[in-house]
Amino acid sequence: MPEDSVSAASPATILDPSGGSNQVRVRAYNERLVMSLVRRHGALSKAEIARRSGLSAQTVTVIMRALEADGLLIRGEPTRGRVGQPSTPMRLNPDAVYSFGVKIGRRSAELAVMDFVGRVRLQVRRIYAYPMPDEVLAFIVDGIAELEARLDQDQRARIAGVGVAAPFELWNWAEEVGAPQKDMDLWHGMDLQREVAARVSHPVFLHNDATSACAAELVFGLGQRYPDFIYLFIGSFIGGGVVLNSALFSGRTGTAGAIGPLPVQGRDGRTVQLLKIASIFVLENQLRASGIDPKPLWYSPDDWIDFGAPLETWIQDTAAALAQAVIAAASVIDFSAAVIDGGFPAWVRERIVAATRAALDQHDLQGVIMPEILEGEAGSHARTIGAASLPLFARYLLDQNVLFKGPA
């Protein structure tokens, strides 16, 4: 395969477009290959695409003309080299395609419209004490109607589908979030993808929320520069993902990188699961125990207040646990980076990352090749962005292992 070409599934594995009535069609394999290369590099000329893809110059010319005619690619300013004709770079048209992304969490749900280059254009949010199926489904249906009403007719015609990111086994850990088990058991056996698809007019895609956040980081964040990383996303419960060779590795059961159950040592010396320390529900309980109202944690992930001593204690405990998790991961795979993100403001993420780096200095790291400890770039909305990327990759792009479960 040519240097820097997009590694991808064979044409036979491309998802069938029959999953929805929307007129946005699935692109042919070579068209998707070209768009994937352009997405990865921001802008490329015809000659660069031919070199990186292995396609002939004539084939690339035909494809680029078709993609430009359909409005998927747009021309940049010509650049002149030392010899020959000026080169015209092509880039993705942000307004070419839109998708809905839904994040279902244990304290809130979020719905956004995302454009073709990963920018969130519109967004609505709902907070709750705990998620109930009927309430969540109503939020999705009403939210899509509300956001579609804010789009013009042409934009609505360019919607590729709805991606949903939700925790697997939502009924678990009900006690930790203070939810009645009988209410959470309503999720047991429910086919969420099918239930959403029965209520909306677009094809629906579904995947795990933390893995979707990892996909957002791979596609729109640090994945552009780091081909291998362990990803840790701190939400109500911590989760994560694994990226190897610039591809999301889901594993045999789709739960690779689900870092939450990893055993770590707590402040008292007892061994517990990582999620019992490095999760926002732990901070919520600590605030409540200190007589502080924890509700501001869920109003907006970007607008936390500084809760003082309880927040600092949680950050230090979280960092100590994360350091152990990173060492364990690096002992198995020599990741180039460990990426930390979560449903909180950038200033909280910065403090957690700094504290994690400091905590690593307290360990014997002989024989362990440590990755860089980095802040995520996708940010607090990574799960929603990852969800919204699912229809785009199913229909237009080829990046391997971002094609999760197909449309319903």
Side-chain angles (χ1 to χ4, degrees):
M1 183 174 292
E3 178 190 0
D4 201 32
S5 63
V6 172
S7 144
S10 67
T13 67
I14 300 303
L15 295 178
D16 191 302
S18 61
S21 58
N22 194 280
Q23 65 266 46
V24 182
R25 71 181 179 90
V26 177
R27 307 301 299 198
Y29 179 85
N30 284 343
E31 292 177 326
R32 292 156 63 104
L33 174 59
V34 168
M35 285 188 286
S36 293
L37 283 167
V38 173
R39 182 204 62 76
R40 179 175 294 180
H41 295 279
L44 288 175
S45 68
K46 178 180 68 176
E48 288 173 319
I49 290 173
R51 179 177 66 83
R52 295 175 186 276
S53 67
L55 299 172
S56 69
Q58 182 179 3
T59 297
V60 171
T61 297
V62 171
I63 290 172
M64 292 178 71
R65 284 175 179 168
L67 295 177
E68 184 179 13
D70 287 348
L72 293 166
L73 294 182
I74 53 178
R75 293 173 179 263
E77 291 295 324
T79 58
R80 183 175 293 279
R82 294 181 179 177
V83 295
Q85 295 295 318
S87 172
T88 302
M90 303 292 286
R91 58 186 176 87
L92 296 182
N93 178 6
D95 296 310
V97 186
Y98 301 93
S99 63
F100 288 109
V102 182
K103 183 273 296 186
I104 300 172
R106 288 181 168 85
R107 294 299 192 205
S108 65
E110 194 170 271
L111 171 66
V113 174
M114 190 177 79
D115 66 23
F116 202 27
V117 296
R119 288 199 299 259
V120 172
R121 297 291 189 92
L122 299 170
Q123 181 178 307
V124 291
R125 180 178 173 84
R126 174 79 54 83
I127 62 171
Y128 37 65
Y130 51 88
M132 294 290 290
D134 288 346
E135 181 181 358
V136 168
L137 289 170
F139 166 73
I140 294 172
V141 173
D142 295 344
I144 286 177
E146 176 185 339
L147 295 183
E148 283 191 322
R150 295 162 65 182
L151 301 174
D152 61 34
Q153 183 176 354
D154 181 62
Q155 289 172 322
R156 288 195 295 271
R158 295 172 181 266
I159 295 171
V162 180
V164 180
F168 289 161
E169 299 184 355
L170 256 169
W171 56 89
N172 279 339
W173 295 292
E175 181 179 352
E176 282 80 356
V177 295
Q181 188 63 58
K182 63 179 179 61
D183 288 346
M184 297 304 291
D185 282 343
L186 294 174
W187 290 100
H188 202 290
M190 176 181 170
D191 188 332
L192 179 59
Q193 183 180 17
R194 192 165 300 280
E195 291 294 334
V196 175
R199 292 166 170 79
V200 302
S201 60
H202 307 289
V204 176
F205 304 77
L206 172 71
H207 206 63
N208 173 262
D209 60 337
T211 312
S212 295
C214 184
E217 192 66 45
L218 167 62
V219 175
F220 302 113
L222 288 167
Q224 303 293 317
R225 303 187 297 279
Y226 291 86
D228 307 286
F229 60 88
I230 180 75
Y231 180 80
L232 305 101
F233 189 92
I234 304 169
S236 295
F237 295 93
I238 189 171
V242 172
V243 170
L244 298 173
N245 298 321
S246 296
L248 193 66
F249 178 74
S250 298
R252 178 176 58 86
T253 62
T255 58
I259 200 82
L262 189 75
V264 296
Q265 192 174 70
R267 182 185 290 266
D268 59 4
R270 293 190 306 114
T271 297
V272 297
Q273 290 186 330
L274 178 64
L275 66 87
K276 297 293 182 68
I277 298 176
S279 295
I280 294 177
F281 91 88
V282 177
L283 173 59
E284 180 182 13
N285 291 339
Q286 289 175 349
L287 292 175
R288 192 175 288 112
S290 300
I292 301 172
D293 183 4
K295 288 191 181 68
L297 291 174
W298 312 114
Y299 291 150
S300 169
D302 297 318
D303 297 321
W304 283 19
I305 62 174
D306 191 334
F307 292 98
L311 176 61
E312 180 60 24
T313 297
W314 177 75
I315 287 174
Q316 293 301 322
D317 289 348
T318 292
L322 291 179
Q324 297 174 63
V326 170
I327 292 169
S331 299
V332 178
I333 298 175
D334 55 342
F335 292 104
S336 56
V339 182
I340 298 171
D341 213 333
F344 37 59
W347 59 267
V348 174
R349 181 181 62 219
E350 181 180 359
R351 285 169 62 176
I352 291 173
V353 169
T356 302
R357 291 171 179 157
L360 284 168
D361 292 337
Q362 308 303 312
H363 291 271
D364 180 2
L365 301 178
Q366 185 175 358
V368 183
I369 300 174
M370 290 303 297
E372 290 186 64
I373 310 300
L374 301 172
E375 295 183 49
E377 293 184 352
S380 60
H381 302 289
R383 293 167 293 183
T384 308
I385 294 169
S389 73
L390 300 182
L392 301 186
F393 280 88
R395 290 178 173 272
Y396 293 98
L397 302 164
L398 281 181
D399 297 50
Q400 64 189 41
N401 289 342
V402 182
L403 293 178
F404 303 128
K405 189 177 178 183

